[in-house]
């Protein structure tokens, strides 16, 4: 069985807000029964305690059930419970009338009047305030609140209450019903806003992916469009020349082969640029995205000075780790550390919010981590991921630094070294002047 804390932390932010909203309406039912119903019943005579207490408790449970069903309707998981709403309205009206009758004719000097007065205001306000969850129009809600207040005042006059007392009951009912209805509207609005923001964030991610795909397709079109057109034209020309027996067809097909090879090279460059990830940009992007999501992100270390061979795979590690932090668990804190020591680069990403992390077998089956392991293997790196002490999830990537290139020592040409008599001392100007070129013999034409 999962602990309550783990169950709560495992929910997404919209799911938390929805759970909080639902249990708020349930808690209002408990508060209404305990804070209003029990004190009102306590002031009544003994003969009214049991039926009034049972009616108040049943009404509170009925309101909580209706609120839960209407919230399901607002989330689109069920149809609007019209019959349940009408039933709640009828029960609320009957209890309100009964409270007013008890207020007027419950007996004198026993405190029954004050208890019934409390119920005659609380029961209609709470009942019709719950019904307001299903009313999206504010004007109709105000009309309903005014109608409830007018009904309470009218029934009070009919049962024999003095006009000031009846109007006072109606005024208090108007205020409390309007407050309950406003709370219901605010709760639904807040819940809808949170879900809308969450959908907008997902839509933004999908649009970013679509934009990147469009960019990739545009680059491929720019690279391959012209080359394929030239290949098609030259191939058609080569066919025509071959049919005529012209040797130029071979030259055209050679050119086609050259263009095809050039196209392959350009496509590889486009794909390589599409797949590479700059570590510095990924670190800055991860901090911005996590901060925007309400997660405290701390970056330790810098990518400046790292060899270009290790930055792309580590950049992909940061990107995948950021995605996992946003999608899984409910992190409040994330730390990204970059350490260069002992000829290797160690990237560590830690986040809380996942005390019951996935098992090692589940981690090995994850497609994202499998792809990261493949990328790190190409540069001799390793990847480790799993729960760590302190209720955190830790992902560590270790990539060895490439060996520094050592310039080859200069090799002396021993074959060109030979013993010659020492030349007489020359002045710097004489040494700088080149030897005069030999002139040919004027008779034989042979250079001496």
């Amino acid at each position: 069985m999962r602990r309550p804390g783990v169950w709560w932390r495992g929910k997404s932010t919209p799911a938390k807000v929805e759970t909080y909203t639902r249990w708020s309406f349930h808690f209002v039912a408990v508060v209404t029964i305990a804070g209003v119903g029990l004190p009102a019943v306590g002031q009544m005579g003994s003969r009214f305690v049991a039926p009034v207490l049972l009616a108040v408790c049943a009404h509170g449970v009925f309101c909580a059930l209706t609120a839960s069903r209407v919230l399901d309707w607002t989330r689109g998981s069920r149809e609007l419970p019209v019959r349940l709403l009408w039933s709640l309205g009828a029960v609320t009206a009957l209890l309100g009338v009964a409270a007013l009758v008890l207020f007027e004719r419950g007996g004198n000097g026993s405190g029954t009047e004050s208890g019934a007065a409390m119920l005659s205001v609380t029961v209609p306000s709470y009942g019709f305030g719950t019904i307001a969850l299903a009313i999206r129009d504010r004007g109709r809600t105000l009309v309903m609140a005014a109608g409830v207040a007018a009904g309470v005042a009218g029934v009070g006059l009919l049962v024999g209450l003095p006009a000031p007392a009846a109007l006072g009951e109606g005024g208090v009912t108007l205020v409390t019903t309007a407050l309950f209805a406003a709370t219901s509207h605010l709760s639904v609005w807040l819940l809808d806003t949170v879900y809308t923001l969450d959908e907008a964030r997902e839509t933004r991610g999908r649009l970013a992916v679509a934009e990147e795909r469009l960019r990739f397709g545009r680059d491929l079109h720019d690279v391959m469009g012209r080359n394929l057109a030239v290949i098609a034209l030259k191939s058609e020309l080569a066919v025509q020349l071959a049919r005529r027996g012209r040797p130029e067809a071979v030259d055209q097909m050679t050119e086609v082969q050259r263009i095809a090879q050039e196209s392959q090279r350009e496509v590889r460059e486009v794909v390589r640029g599409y797949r590479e990830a700059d570590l510095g940009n990924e670190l800055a992007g991860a901090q911005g995205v996590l901060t925007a999501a309400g997660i405290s992100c701390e970056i330790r270390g810098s990518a400046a000075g790292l060899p270009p061979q290790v930055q792309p795979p580590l950049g992909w590690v940061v990107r995948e780790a950021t995605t996992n932090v946003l999608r899984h668990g409910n992190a409040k804190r994330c730390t990204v550390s970059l350490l260069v020591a002992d000829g290797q680069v160690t990237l560590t990403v830690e986040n809380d919010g996942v005390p019951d992390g996935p098992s090692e077998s589940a981690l090995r089956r994850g497609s994202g981590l499998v792809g990261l392991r493949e990328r790190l293997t190409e540069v001799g790196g390793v990847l480790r991921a799993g729960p760590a002490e302190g209720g955190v999830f830790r992902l560590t990537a270790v990539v060895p630094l490439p060996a520094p290139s050592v310039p080859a020592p200069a090799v002396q040409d021993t074959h060109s070294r030979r013993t010659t008599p020492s030349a007489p001392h020359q002045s710097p100007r004489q040494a700088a002047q080149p030897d005069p070129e030999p002139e040919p013999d004027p008779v034989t034409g042979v250079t001496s």
Side-chain angles (χ1 to χ4, degrees), residues 79-433:
E79 296 182 355
L80 181 64
V82 178
R83 294 182 178 178
L84 193 63
L85 290 170
W86 280 106
S87 300
L88 177 60
V91 171
T92 302
L94 290 176
L95 290 180
V97 171
L100 287 172
V101 172
L102 191 62
F103 179 28
E104 173 61 20
R105 304 178 182 179
N108 297 323
S110 62
T112 304
E113 294 85 353
S114 59
M118 295 174 59
L119 293 179
S120 65
V121 173
T122 305
V123 171
S125 301
Y126 180 38
F128 287 101
T130 303
I131 295 175
L133 282 171
I135 303 176
R136 295 299 182 92
D137 185 71
R138 296 179 181 177
R140 294 175 60 186
T141 304
L142 292 176
V143 171
M144 182 194 69
V148 172
V152 170
V155 173
L157 292 174
L158 290 177
V159 298
L161 283 178
L167 293 178
E169 289 281 322
V172 175
T173 303
L174 176 62
V175 174
T176 53
T177 304
L179 288 177
F180 270 111
T183 303
S184 300
H185 277 275
L186 182 61
S187 300
V188 174
W189 173 82
L190 178 62
L191 184 59
D192 291 341
T193 301
V194 171
Y195 271 103
T196 301
L197 291 176
D198 187 67
E199 293 175 359
R201 185 176 64 177
E202 294 181 359
T203 302
R204 183 177 60 182
R206 290 194 297 268
L207 288 177
V209 173
E211 183 179 359
E212 185 66 16
R213 289 176 178 174
L214 289 176
R215 184 195 68 81
F216 183 62
R218 183 174 61 251
D219 292 346
L220 280 181
H221 177 270
D222 295 341
V223 169
M224 297 298 297
R226 180 183 60 84
N227 291 346
L228 289 177
V230 174
I231 288 175
L233 183 62
K234 287 187 171 293
S235 299
E236 183 179 357
L237 178 59
V239 170
Q240 297 295 332
L241 292 175
R243 288 177 178 175
R244 299 176 184 179
R246 302 285 295 275
E248 292 86 350
V250 178
D251 298 334
Q252 295 297 327
M253 292 307 300
T254 302
E255 183 69 10
V256 168
Q257 182 181 12
R258 185 192 66 79
I259 296 175
Q261 293 174 351
E262 182 71 15
S263 300
Q264 289 180 343
R265 184 186 63 80
E266 292 178 352
V267 169
R268 283 194 294 269
E269 291 180 356
V270 171
V271 174
R272 186 180 301 112
Y274 176 75
R275 289 182 176 177
E276 287 183 352
D278 182 74
L279 180 57
N281 293 337
E282 293 298 332
L283 289 174
Q287 188 172 25
V289 170
L290 293 177
T291 302
I295 302 174
S296 176
C297 180
E298 181 183 1
I299 305 295
R300 301 175 183 174
S302 173
L306 290 180
Q309 296 91 334
V310 302
Q311 290 204 29
L314 292 179
W316 278 102
V317 173
V318 174
R319 182 181 300 182
E320 180 68 22
T322 304
T323 303
N324 290 338
V325 171
L326 292 174
R327 287 183 177 178
H328 309 298
N330 187 37
K332 298 296 182 183
R333 177 183 56 84
C334 180
T335 303
V336 182
S337 304
L338 195 63
L339 178 63
V340 181
D342 300 332
Q344 62 185 13
V345 184
T346 303
L347 175 68
T348 304
V349 181
E350 290 184 355
N351 64 277
D352 60 355
V354 282
D356 295 339
S359 61
E360 183 66 22
S361 59
L363 292 173
R364 294 183 180 276
R365 292 193 300 268
S367 58
L369 296 182
V370 171
L372 291 181
R373 286 192 173 93
E374 293 175 354
R375 292 178 186 275
L376 293 177
T377 303
E378 295 177 358
V379 293
V382 294
L383 181 71
R384 295 186 294 271
E389 297 180 357
V392 300
F393 186 84
R394 180 179 300 160
L395 187 145
T396 304
V398 181
V399 177
L401 291 172
S405 57
V406 180
V411 180
Q412 297 181 352
D413 188 2
T414 57
H415 297 284
S416 62
R417 185 186 303 170
R418 52 186 179 178
T419 304
T420 56
S422 60
H425 177 72
Q426 296 178 342
S427 64
R429 178 175 298 179
Q430 292 175 342
Q433 294 178 353

